[in-house]
Amino acid sequence: FGLVDKLIQVAVTKLELPVITAAGVQVPAHMGGMWAPMIAKANYRVNPQHAVKLNVVLVCHRSIRNHGAIYDSIRDMVNTHSAKYRLGDKPFQRVEAGDRQDHWGMVEKYFGGTKLPNNIMVLDFSRPPRGQATDPAYSVVKSMLGKGGYLSQFVNFATYDHSNPRDVKRSNIILSGVARQILSKCGVRIWWVNIPRSLPLPAVFVGVDVYHAPRKYDPTAGKRTAKESVAAVIVQIVRSHAPDKNSMVEIYCETERRSAGKEMELGSVMSRAVTNALKAFKLPAPKSCFIWRDGVGDSAIPQVAAQEIPAVRAALANPGEVVGGLAKAAPVPLSYIVCQKRINTKFLTTTGDKVPCGALVTGLQGAEYKTFYINGTSPPYSTPKPVRFVIAQRDPPLASVSPSTLSWALCHDYPNWTGPIKVPAPVQMAHKLAELAGNMEDCGSSLNHQKYAGKIYFL
């Protein structure tokens, strides 16, 4: 046995751009890499009288000028979409804040002693202390608001000073993204991505990831210590293939704090998240389930799959706990796919051209499981690195559903980025939630997951 330094030639298939629809208008193929300009003009045609008015609590750093004009710009961008949610002409209340404790202290004081109406949205104009790119109060404020299930959107004035814009176009691009995030957090589906027609619906998509916070110096211990890790599970329900029947998302999430560095034994939190999602959205009988699991190496796949797959099956097999569920039901067909991003495999073309987005490679197979690679992004000045997808379980009823086509379609469904990403949206959302909770003091233990059902609050 020996190692050979040799390139392996494999066949590559270019996956087609899935059909992406925004407010009834299809994204053209030439905009498949970035469709933000088209989304900015989307009109969802909801009657303003039927829309939900958000009561905005504007938290504003006292050094920011023209905060009223900036709010007006964001309000106009949100309301121009004519979506289900709208911002009021003026903020419901303005809270003046400062740095660090003067920031979260003012937020705590307001929310602790004020009787608030429904549909609160916190819009925080923050300016981090000099020399810092992010606001130290961010995770503290997010944690406080998370206990009450309040939606919030931060605008970082260190990234760009919208109160004194040198480039109005750039400011408008950033604020347009803020407006899109506000609607997404409220549960509005900004765009719809077609999924394979062969997929039995209603379907349950599950994304799982674990976040490990960087080590920090502990003066008591006199060394760098690791904080607890956080696991996040995203459960998304899709009931129809028609875009007009998917105007709002059905997403439920759970987090769980864990020992530092612990990646395995997530069966209990996955089972709990799926069970609660079926209850929250009153879905007694799903027809299929796809799980995308991040953060698992080759050697750990058999152990992780053996623990997590039965836990999810048990949650899917108990529809009697859901209103309208039957005591007995046919087993829900399930597929379990491991996403591996930290791999050493790279693909180069024989002609020297870049490997395009959507490049699919099935010619490299593992010893135990069927494997495929998807090149989700194609950066202009570096060699793209693909993601390896390992199919650890695929029940026979799902044989007609292409896991590569479905995964590639969901790579275009992440609402925080108007372009393809490397992994399916449920996994990326799980990573985003785990990172948010992992940077909180209590590792997200106080987040009110039930109140956040149907909201993508963690973007």
Side-chain angles (χ1 to χ4, degrees):
F1 178 79
L3 297 176
V4 179
D5 183 12
K6 182 181 178 182
L7 297 178
I8 302 175
Q9 287 197 358
V10 293
V12 177
T13 302
K14 177 71 166 62
L15 293 171
E16 294 184 2
L17 177 73
V19 176
I20 305 169
T21 308
V25 181
Q26 183 176 334
V27 174
H30 71 274
M31 298 182 70
M34 176 57 62
W35 54 86
M38 184 173 177
I39 298 297
K41 301 176 183 177
N43 187 332
Y44 301 94
R45 304 185 187 282
V46 174
N47 189 327
Q49 295 181 350
H50 299 158
V52 177
K53 177 186 174 183
L54 295 174
N55 294 299
V56 178
V57 175
L58 180 61
V59 180
C60 185
H61 194 280
R62 59 176 55 95
S63 68
I64 295 175
R65 299 177 290 107
N66 302 328
H67 53 77
I70 302 168
Y71 172 81
D72 291 345
S73 295
I74 296 175
R75 176 205 63 205
D76 293 343
M77 291 177 181
V78 171
N79 295 350
T80 298
H81 288 297
S82 297
K84 183 178 179 179
Y85 291 86
R86 297 175 63 87
L87 300 188
D89 291 339
K90 299 295 180 184
F92 173 76
Q93 182 65 47
R94 186 173 75 88
V95 178
E96 188 176 281
D99 296 331
R100 295 185 173 88
Q101 189 170 353
D102 192 23
H103 186 166
W104 65 72
M106 297 303 293
V107 174
E108 184 178 31
K109 180 180 178 181
Y110 176 76
F111 280 89
T114 306
K115 186 176 181 180
L116 299 171
N118 295 326
N119 303 316
I120 287 289
M121 161 67 77
V122 178
L123 186 57
D124 196 313
F125 292 170
S126 68
R127 190 189 297 277
R130 186 180 296 274
Q132 298 191 29
T134 58
D135 196 334
Y138 175 82
S139 59
V140 181
V141 174
K142 282 285 189 179
S143 180
M144 290 192 304
L145 297 175
K147 295 177 183 178
Y150 295 114
L151 296 174
S152 60
Q153 174 66 47
F154 276 65
V155 181
N156 189 338
F157 278 69
T159 303
Y160 195 81
D161 188 356
H162 301 282
S163 62
N164 184 28
R166 298 180 179 179
D167 186 346
V168 176
K169 182 179 179 180
R170 183 184 175 193
S171 176
N172 288 338
I173 290 174
I174 296 173
L175 295 182
S176 177
V178 169
R180 188 174 66 246
Q181 274 195 330
I182 289 174
L183 292 176
S184 293
K185 289 181 178 183
C186 292
V188 176
R189 183 180 284 280
I190 305 298
W191 64 83
W192 166 254
V193 179
N194 275 18
I195 53 180
R197 289 277 175 177
S198 56
L199 176 68
L201 298 182
V204 176
F205 297 152
V206 182
V208 187
D209 198 9
V210 181
Y211 174 73
H212 308 290
R215 289 177 174 266
K216 292 186 178 181
Y217 181 77
D218 183 355
T220 305
K223 60 180 181 180
R224 294 171 65 88
T225 58
K227 188 183 177 183
E228 290 176 294
S229 299
V230 174
V233 180
I234 298 292
V235 182
Q236 180 177 359
I237 294 172
V238 177
R239 301 177 189 259
S240 172
H241 289 284
D244 57 345
K245 295 183 180 180
N246 290 280
S247 60
M248 302 295 292
V249 299
E250 290 184 300
I251 287 179
Y252 182 85
C253 60
E254 293 268 357
T255 59
E256 182 178 84
R257 63 195 305 173
R258 309 172 57 72
S259 302
K262 189 175 182 180
E263 286 271 4
M264 301 191 207
E265 299 179 9
L266 296 181
S268 60
V269 65
M270 291 171 66
S271 176
R272 184 171 69 247
V274 172
T275 298
N276 290 338
L278 298 181
K279 288 181 180 179
F281 301 114
K282 298 180 174 60
L283 180 63
K287 299 298 184 183
S288 61
C289 177
F290 272 79
I291 304 168
W292 287 273
R293 175 68 151 93
D294 200 355
V296 179
D298 289 338
S299 60
I301 291 178
Q303 180 182 350
V304 171
Q307 198 267 335
E308 294 175 359
I309 293 176
V312 176
R313 287 195 191 278
L316 295 169
N318 290 319
E321 298 181 5
V322 183
V323 176
L326 302 175
K328 292 183 179 180
V332 178
L334 178 147
S335 180
Y336 184 97
I337 303 173
V338 174
C339 308
Q340 297 177 336
K341 301 191 298 290
R342 298 181 179 180
I343 59 176
N344 294 323
T345 306
K346 288 189 177 182
F347 297 113
L348 305 171
T349 63
T350 55
T351 59
D353 298 326
K354 286 197 308 176
V355 179
C357 290
L360 170 67
V361 175
T362 58
L364 295 177
Q365 292 295 323
E368 298 183 31
Y369 303 106
K370 189 172 181 180
T371 303
F372 62 90
Y373 297 78
I374 293 181
N375 194 64
T377 59
S378 184
Y381 301 112
S382 61
T383 304
K385 181 179 287 188
V387 173
R388 179 192 293 135
F389 294 85
V390 182
I391 306 174
Q393 178 68 39
R394 187 185 185 188
D395 290 347
L398 298 179
S400 62
V401 183
S402 169
S404 58
T405 302
L406 178 60
S407 298
W408 175 237
L410 293 180
C411 286
H412 297 76
D413 199 34
Y414 182 53
N416 212 25
W417 185 252
T418 51
I421 58 175
K422 297 183 70 172
V423 293
V427 180
Q428 186 63 30
M429 286 191 282
H431 172 77
K432 185 73 174 178
L433 174 58
E435 184 179 20
L436 173 67
N439 286 314
M440 294 179 177
E441 188 66 27
D442 64 350
C443 293
S445 298
S446 59
L447 291 172
N448 194 330
H449 299 300
Q450 285 71 31
K451 280 196 173 182
Y452 282 132
K455 313 293 183 184
I456 317 179
Y457 69 95
F458 45 82
L459 292 180

